[in-house]
Amino acid sequence: DAEITQSPRHKITETGRQVTLACHQTWNHNNMFWYRQDLGHGLRLIHYSYGVHDTNKGEVSDGYSVSRSNTEDLPLTLESAASSQTSVYFCASSAGTRLSGNTIYFGEGSWLTVV
Amino acid sequence: SQQGEEDPQALSIQEGENATMNCSYKTSINNLQWYRQNSGRGLVHLILIRSNEREKHSGRLRVTLDTSKKSSSLLITASRAADTASYFCASSASTMGDMRFGAGTRLTVKP
């Protein structure tokens, strides 16, 4: 079955270190997204991509970057981790086009703690 | 800022009762979706309603959309203990999936 996987599922890192969270989907979806989830805020969109070499900033993109070199992967990089980036990170993908909306499918989440 | 706000933040009911959750959003949308999240897990899509639709059904779920009030509701009928989860509405101004989520409603169904 097609799926979307995130790694690592849990990570503890130190302030100032660079961290990369991996996301891999096997649905061949063009659209991929990164969200963070914090208590009281629901999910907030960090970055998203509508296809290879396309990236866009979301609501809370400062301190994060993404790159899309192929259809299957959208890694999320925290350039210099800060305690405020302690959160649960969710990757998602969808097959939506500009003509037809579609649902998005979520990974199981990556729990990141910055100490 | 968040696009949607759910109401109530928490809801506790007995098994067999109906659960109604409401969602408001701020800007014009193309579609609105409801998701469910079990504790410690990812979100699972429940239902999508487009801006030109007013009501949709899926099993025990009924979703309504009022674009004039910028609001939506999710009704779960004949609730079960297994329905205990957080429920999120998410809206998008496009068809591409860049959704904006509310903070969610935590539903507890007591057996």
Side-chain angles (χ1 to χ4, degrees), chain A residues 43-44 59-60, chain B residues 1-5 26 100-101:
Chain A
L43 280 81
R44 290 181 290 177
E59 304 166 78
V60 289
Chain B
S1 63
Q2 290 166 216
Q3 169 72 313
E5 299 287 342
K26 297 177 182 175
R100 299 296 192 268
F101 285 79

Short mmCIF file of all heavy atoms in Angstrom, two decimals, chain A residues 43-44 59-60, chain B residues 1-5 26 100-101:
data_model
loop_
_atom_site.label_atom_id
_atom_site.label_comp_id
_atom_site.label_asym_id
_atom_site.label_seq_id
_atom_site.Cartn_x
_atom_site.Cartn_y
_atom_site.Cartn_z
N LEU A 43 -2.59 22.85 13.91
CA LEU A 43 -1.48 22.63 12.98
C LEU A 43 -1.22 23.91 12.21
O LEU A 43 -2.15 24.56 11.74
CB LEU A 43 -1.82 21.52 11.98
CG LEU A 43 -1.64 20.10 12.48
CD1 LEU A 43 -2.84 19.67 13.29
CD2 LEU A 43 -1.44 19.15 11.31
N ARG A 44 0.05 24.25 12.09
CA ARG A 44 0.43 25.44 11.33
C ARG A 44 1.36 25.04 10.19
O ARG A 44 2.29 24.26 10.38
CB ARG A 44 1.10 26.46 12.25
CG ARG A 44 0.13 27.10 13.24
CD ARG A 44 0.82 28.11 14.11
NE ARG A 44 1.73 27.50 15.07
CZ ARG A 44 2.51 28.17 15.91
NH1 ARG A 44 2.48 29.49 15.91
NH2 ARG A 44 3.29 27.54 16.75
N GLU A 59 2.80 29.61 6.95
CA GLU A 59 2.53 30.60 8.00
C GLU A 59 3.73 30.83 8.92
O GLU A 59 3.92 31.93 9.45
CB GLU A 59 1.38 30.11 8.88
CG GLU A 59 0.10 29.79 8.16
CD GLU A 59 -0.83 29.02 9.08
OE1 GLU A 59 -1.45 29.64 9.95
OE2 GLU A 59 -0.91 27.77 8.94
N VAL A 60 4.51 29.77 9.18
CA VAL A 60 5.56 29.85 10.20
C VAL A 60 6.87 29.30 9.64
O VAL A 60 7.46 28.37 10.17
CB VAL A 60 5.15 29.09 11.49
CG1 VAL A 60 4.05 29.81 12.21
CG2 VAL A 60 4.74 27.65 11.17
N SER B 1 -1.56 33.34 11.08
CA SER B 1 -2.59 33.05 12.06
C SER B 1 -3.46 31.90 11.57
O SER B 1 -3.49 31.59 10.39
CB SER B 1 -3.46 34.27 12.31
OG SER B 1 -4.13 34.64 11.12
N GLN B 2 -4.16 31.25 12.51
CA GLN B 2 -4.99 30.13 12.12
C GLN B 2 -6.13 30.61 11.26
O GLN B 2 -6.70 31.67 11.46
CB GLN B 2 -5.55 29.44 13.36
CG GLN B 2 -4.50 28.70 14.15
CD GLN B 2 -4.99 28.30 15.52
OE1 GLN B 2 -4.24 28.32 16.47
NE2 GLN B 2 -6.25 27.99 15.65
N GLN B 3 -6.52 29.77 10.32
CA GLN B 3 -7.66 30.08 9.49
C GLN B 3 -8.96 29.75 10.19
O GLN B 3 -9.93 30.46 10.07
CB GLN B 3 -7.54 29.30 8.18
CG GLN B 3 -8.78 29.31 7.32
CD GLN B 3 -9.03 30.65 6.66
OE1 GLN B 3 -8.98 31.69 7.30
NE2 GLN B 3 -9.32 30.64 5.38
N GLY B 4 -8.96 28.63 10.94
CA GLY B 4 -10.21 28.19 11.52
C GLY B 4 -10.18 28.14 13.02
O GLY B 4 -9.13 28.08 13.64
N GLU B 5 -11.35 28.19 13.60
CA GLU B 5 -11.50 28.06 15.04
C GLU B 5 -12.61 27.05 15.29
O GLU B 5 -13.71 27.19 14.75
CB GLU B 5 -11.88 29.40 15.67
CG GLU B 5 -10.86 30.50 15.48
CD GLU B 5 -9.62 30.30 16.33
OE1 GLU B 5 -9.69 29.52 17.31
OE2 GLU B 5 -8.58 30.90 16.02
N LYS B 26 -11.95 32.35 8.28
CA LYS B 26 -11.87 33.80 8.15
C LYS B 26 -11.98 34.31 6.72
O LYS B 26 -12.50 35.40 6.49
CB LYS B 26 -10.56 34.30 8.76
CG LYS B 26 -10.44 34.03 10.24
CD LYS B 26 -9.09 34.47 10.80
CE LYS B 26 -8.98 34.13 12.28
NZ LYS B 26 -7.63 34.45 12.81
N ARG B 100 -5.38 25.25 6.08
CA ARG B 100 -5.17 25.97 7.33
C ARG B 100 -6.08 25.33 8.37
O ARG B 100 -7.29 25.20 8.15
CB ARG B 100 -5.51 27.45 7.18
CG ARG B 100 -4.65 28.18 6.16
CD ARG B 100 -3.18 28.22 6.57
NE ARG B 100 -2.41 29.14 5.74
CZ ARG B 100 -1.77 28.81 4.64
NH1 ARG B 100 -1.81 27.56 4.20
NH2 ARG B 100 -1.08 29.71 3.96
N PHE B 101 -5.49 24.95 9.50
CA PHE B 101 -6.20 24.19 10.53
C PHE B 101 -6.61 25.05 11.70
O PHE B 101 -5.92 26.00 12.07
CB PHE B 101 -5.31 23.06 11.03
CG PHE B 101 -5.19 21.92 10.09
CD1 PHE B 101 -4.34 21.99 8.99
CD2 PHE B 101 -5.92 20.76 10.29
CE1 PHE B 101 -4.22 20.93 8.10
CE2 PHE B 101 -5.81 19.70 9.41
CZ PHE B 101 -4.95 19.78 8.32
#
